[in-house]
Amino acid sequence: MTSPVVTAGVDEGFLDATSKMASKGIGTLVIMDRKNKVAGVLTEREMLYYLVVNEGIPDKSIGYLVNKKFSKVSPYTDIRDAAKTMVTKNNRLLVFDEGELTGIITASDMVRAFLQRRRNPPLKGIARQKVFTVHPDSTILDAVKAMLKKRIGSVIVTAGDEDRRKSPSGIFTERDLLVKVLAQKIDLLERVGSYSSYPLVTAKTGIGAKDAAQIMSSNKIKRLPLTKRGKIVAMVTARDLVSALLK
């Protein structure tokens, strides 16, 4: 688990919360109510939603925005049980010890746990076969809308050729949105290519889940495009690797 937990009060503003997440390098912020009890969590995915709904940065405190549920586990919960809870409930896992919040378990934490295992199961049936792209001249807002519509955490930024997946140049992720756009107060109508991550880290199809976990961990990324004959054909995420823990 990750500890200590980074928290924010319900009365903090949206921009203050995003700046805190960016400075701490986290994708989930635990929100505390006025009685210092856990009210919920704010994630990068919720930020996508609020930006699209408002077509800009909402001028509200995070107490009005938070609705993401979480699941409780203890420090002694078996890692497979924790992985099963994460996958089946699609929730963030908060760790409580005798009623006190002591940690949080994210998909990235699970990826690190995967590296301790000897097994290296195939990614077949785990990796996502659909890969979505945007042109670098598209606006950030258009990219965010596409990500929310497709319920994905990233889009491949292409070089603009006819077959875009053959000429990827970068990737725009929820983390890029948080760190490079929201925390820096960048206009959402700016071109997305200027705020994407380069160069694009990829791996060839056929690698195992543990291989993917190693690449993602060493590069500090949560999404790994898979290529075949130089063309991106699939995408594996940290959350996908949590599913592999259960095999």
Side-chain angles (χ1 to χ4, degrees), residues 134-235:
V134 295
H135 192 278
D137 290 335
S138 299
T139 67
I140 297 170
L141 183 58
D142 285 340
V144 169
K145 286 182 177 179
M147 291 161 68
L148 182 64
K149 181 179 179 180
K150 302 298 183 180
R151 301 180 69 180
I152 55 178
S154 65
V155 284
I156 298 297
V157 179
T158 70
D161 294 349
E162 290 184 6
D163 190 345
R164 293 182 175 182
R165 291 196 297 179
K166 285 186 177 180
S167 54
S169 57
I171 187 171
F172 183 73
T173 69
E174 293 169 330
R175 183 57 53 86
D176 292 321
L177 174 66
L178 172 65
V179 175
K180 300 178 181 178
V181 178
L182 296 180
Q184 304 301 322
K185 301 180 181 180
I186 300 300
D187 193 321
L188 297 182
L189 297 182
E190 292 283 340
R191 62 189 298 273
V192 69
S194 299
Y195 301 93
S196 300
S197 293
Y198 306 94
L200 183 63
V201 178
T202 65
K204 294 183 178 180
T205 56
I207 66 169
K210 186 174 182 179
D211 299 325
Q214 182 63 61
I215 294 171
M216 293 165 74
S217 180
S218 61
N219 288 278
K220 297 181 179 180
I221 57 177
K222 296 191 292 184
R223 296 166 182 85
L224 181 64
L226 302 178
T227 64
K228 185 176 183 179
R229 300 188 184 93
K231 180 179 179 180
I232 295 177
V233 295
M235 176 81 73

Side-chain angles (χ1 to χ4, degrees), residues 27-42:
T28 302
L29 187 64
V30 177
I31 310 305
M32 311 299 287
D33 65 19
R34 294 183 180 91
K35 295 182 179 180
N36 205 34
K37 300 293 183 182
V38 178
V41 295
L42 178 66

